[in-house]
mmCIF file of all heavy atoms in Angstrom:
data_model
loop_
_atom_site.group_PDB
_atom_site.id
_atom_site.type_symbol
_atom_site.label_atom_id
_atom_site.label_comp_id
_atom_site.label_asym_id
_atom_site.label_seq_id
_atom_site.Cartn_x
_atom_site.Cartn_y
_atom_site.Cartn_z
ATOM 1 N N ASN O 123 215.908 115.077 140.480
ATOM 2 C CA ASN O 123 215.210 114.632 141.692
ATOM 3 C C ASN O 123 213.818 115.255 141.790
ATOM 4 O O ASN O 123 212.881 114.613 142.264
ATOM 5 C CB ASN O 123 215.991 115.024 142.952
ATOM 6 C CG ASN O 123 217.073 114.015 143.281
ATOM 7 O OD1 ASN O 123 217.069 112.892 142.764
ATOM 8 N ND2 ASN O 123 218.002 114.419 144.133
ATOM 9 N N ASP O 124 213.717 116.516 141.381
ATOM 10 C CA ASP O 124 212.414 117.192 141.422
ATOM 11 C C ASP O 124 211.460 116.588 140.395
ATOM 12 O O ASP O 124 210.255 116.486 140.638
ATOM 13 C CB ASP O 124 212.571 118.696 141.178
ATOM 14 C CG ASP O 124 213.267 119.390 142.344
ATOM 15 O OD1 ASP O 124 213.250 118.831 143.464
ATOM 16 O OD2 ASP O 124 213.827 120.479 142.141
ATOM 17 N N LEU O 125 212.013 116.191 139.245
ATOM 18 C CA LEU O 125 211.171 115.539 138.242
ATOM 19 C C LEU O 125 210.656 114.202 138.791
ATOM 20 O O LEU O 125 209.464 113.890 138.681
ATOM 21 C CB LEU O 125 211.965 115.315 136.947
ATOM 22 C CG LEU O 125 211.198 114.592 135.833
ATOM 23 C CD1 LEU O 125 209.956 115.383 135.424
ATOM 24 C CD2 LEU O 125 212.101 114.353 134.623
ATOM 25 N N THR O 126 211.554 113.438 139.403
ATOM 26 C CA THR O 126 211.140 112.158 140.002
ATOM 27 C C THR O 126 210.051 112.371 141.044
ATOM 28 O O THR O 126 209.037 111.653 141.054
ATOM 29 C CB THR O 126 212.356 111.457 140.660
ATOM 30 O OG1 THR O 126 213.286 111.130 139.636
ATOM 31 C CG2 THR O 126 211.949 110.190 141.385
ATOM 32 N N SER O 127 210.234 113.359 141.921
ATOM 33 C CA SER O 127 209.236 113.622 142.969
ATOM 34 C C SER O 127 207.892 113.981 142.370
ATOM 35 O O SER O 127 206.843 113.511 142.834
ATOM 36 C CB SER O 127 209.688 114.779 143.871
ATOM 37 O OG SER O 127 210.905 114.481 144.467
ATOM 38 N N ALA O 128 207.913 114.835 141.357
ATOM 39 C CA ALA O 128 206.662 115.273 140.730
ATOM 40 C C ALA O 128 205.961 114.095 140.045
ATOM 41 O O ALA O 128 204.744 113.931 140.162
ATOM 42 C CB ALA O 128 206.937 116.400 139.731
ATOM 43 N N ILE O 129 206.735 113.271 139.342
ATOM 44 C CA ILE O 129 206.160 112.112 138.651
ATOM 45 C C ILE O 129 205.559 111.133 139.656
ATOM 46 O O ILE O 129 204.422 110.674 139.503
ATOM 47 C CB ILE O 129 207.236 111.405 137.795
ATOM 48 C CG1 ILE O 129 207.574 112.255 136.569
ATOM 49 C CG2 ILE O 129 206.772 110.001 137.371
ATOM 50 C CD1 ILE O 129 208.740 111.739 135.750
ATOM 51 N N ASP O 130 206.303 110.830 140.709
ATOM 52 C CA ASP O 130 205.805 109.865 141.688
ATOM 53 C C ASP O 130 204.568 110.392 142.410
ATOM 54 O O ASP O 130 203.625 109.644 142.674
ATOM 55 C CB ASP O 130 206.912 109.487 142.671
ATOM 56 C CG ASP O 130 207.995 108.644 142.008
ATOM 57 O OD1 ASP O 130 207.716 108.045 140.945
ATOM 58 O OD2 ASP O 130 209.123 108.591 142.530
ATOM 59 N N ALA O 131 204.558 111.693 142.710
ATOM 60 C CA ALA O 131 203.387 112.287 143.372
ATOM 61 C C ALA O 131 202.170 112.239 142.451
ATOM 62 O O ALA O 131 201.056 111.929 142.884
ATOM 63 C CB ALA O 131 203.689 113.735 143.778
ATOM 64 N N ALA O 132 202.374 112.520 141.180
ATOM 65 C CA ALA O 132 201.257 112.530 140.228
ATOM 66 C C ALA O 132 200.692 111.120 140.040
ATOM 67 O O ALA O 132 199.477 110.931 140.000
ATOM 68 C CB ALA O 132 201.711 113.101 138.887
ATOM 69 N N LEU O 133 201.583 110.130 139.931
ATOM 70 C CA LEU O 133 201.115 108.754 139.752
ATOM 71 C C LEU O 133 200.397 108.250 140.999
ATOM 72 O O LEU O 133 199.368 107.572 140.907
ATOM 73 C CB LEU O 133 202.287 107.830 139.391
ATOM 74 C CG LEU O 133 202.897 108.067 138.005
ATOM 75 C CD1 LEU O 133 204.149 107.221 137.822
ATOM 76 C CD2 LEU O 133 201.881 107.768 136.905
ATOM 77 N N ALA O 134 200.903 108.622 142.172
ATOM 78 C CA ALA O 134 200.243 108.224 143.424
ATOM 79 C C ALA O 134 198.878 108.890 143.528
ATOM 80 O O ALA O 134 197.889 108.277 143.936
ATOM 81 C CB ALA O 134 201.116 108.606 144.622
ATOM 82 N N PHE O 135 198.814 110.145 143.115
ATOM 83 C CA PHE O 135 197.551 110.879 143.161
ATOM 84 C C PHE O 135 196.502 110.222 142.272
ATOM 85 O O PHE O 135 195.368 109.993 142.694
ATOM 86 C CB PHE O 135 197.785 112.333 142.715
ATOM 87 C CG PHE O 135 196.522 113.152 142.658
ATOM 88 C CD1 PHE O 135 196.030 113.783 143.787
ATOM 89 C CD2 PHE O 135 195.830 113.276 141.456
ATOM 90 C CE1 PHE O 135 194.859 114.527 143.726
ATOM 91 C CE2 PHE O 135 194.653 114.015 141.394
ATOM 92 C CZ PHE O 135 194.164 114.645 142.531
ATOM 93 N N SER O 136 196.882 109.892 141.034
ATOM 94 C CA SER O 136 195.874 109.313 140.135
ATOM 95 C C SER O 136 195.498 107.902 140.577
ATOM 96 O O SER O 136 194.364 107.486 140.435
ATOM 97 C CB SER O 136 196.348 109.342 138.682
ATOM 98 O OG SER O 136 197.453 108.513 138.502
ATOM 99 N N GLN O 137 196.450 107.188 141.148
ATOM 100 C CA GLN O 137 196.150 105.829 141.628
ATOM 101 C C GLN O 137 195.157 105.878 142.785
ATOM 102 O O GLN O 137 194.255 105.062 142.882
ATOM 103 C CB GLN O 137 197.463 105.152 142.062
ATOM 104 C CG GLN O 137 197.338 103.634 142.212
ATOM 105 C CD GLN O 137 197.403 102.923 140.870
ATOM 106 O OE1 GLN O 137 196.582 103.167 140.001
ATOM 107 N NE2 GLN O 137 198.370 102.050 140.689
ATOM 108 N N GLU O 138 195.337 106.862 143.674
ATOM 109 C CA GLU O 138 194.439 107.015 144.819
ATOM 110 C C GLU O 138 193.042 107.449 144.401
ATOM 111 O O GLU O 138 192.040 107.002 144.945
ATOM 112 C CB GLU O 138 194.979 108.092 145.770
ATOM 113 C CG GLU O 138 195.843 107.568 146.889
ATOM 114 C CD GLU O 138 196.516 108.698 147.623
ATOM 115 O OE1 GLU O 138 195.883 109.743 147.843
ATOM 116 O OE2 GLU O 138 197.707 108.542 147.966
ATOM 117 N N ASN O 139 193.004 108.395 143.460
ATOM 118 C CA ASN O 139 191.734 108.995 143.098
ATOM 119 C C ASN O 139 190.973 108.255 142.010
ATOM 120 O O ASN O 139 189.759 108.367 141.898
ATOM 121 C CB ASN O 139 191.935 110.459 142.700
ATOM 122 C CG ASN O 139 192.321 111.301 143.899
ATOM 123 O OD1 ASN O 139 191.478 111.708 144.671
ATOM 124 N ND2 ASN O 139 193.627 111.514 144.100
ATOM 125 N N TYR O 140 191.732 107.535 141.188
ATOM 126 C CA TYR O 140 191.104 106.807 140.081
ATOM 127 C C TYR O 140 191.711 105.408 140.037
ATOM 128 O O TYR O 140 192.535 105.101 139.194
ATOM 129 C CB TYR O 140 191.357 107.533 138.758
ATOM 130 C CG TYR O 140 191.000 108.992 138.816
ATOM 131 C CD1 TYR O 140 191.986 109.946 139.058
ATOM 132 C CD2 TYR O 140 189.687 109.411 138.661
ATOM 133 C CE1 TYR O 140 191.653 111.293 139.143
ATOM 134 C CE2 TYR O 140 189.353 110.739 138.749
ATOM 135 C CZ TYR O 140 190.348 111.681 138.984
ATOM 136 O OH TYR O 140 190.023 112.988 139.062
ATOM 137 N N PRO O 141 191.306 104.547 140.986
ATOM 138 C CA PRO O 141 191.899 103.203 141.061
ATOM 139 C C PRO O 141 191.763 102.437 139.751
ATOM 140 O O PRO O 141 190.775 102.609 139.042
ATOM 141 C CB PRO O 141 191.108 102.522 142.174
ATOM 142 C CG PRO O 141 190.490 103.637 142.955
ATOM 143 C CD PRO O 141 190.249 104.736 141.975
#
Side-chain angles (χ1 to χ4, degrees):
N123 276 344
D124 291 338
L125 178 60
T126 296
S127 301
I129 288 173
D130 290 340
L133 291 173
F135 177 85
S136 66
Q137 196 80 300
E138 267 170 39
N139 291 279
Y140 309 97

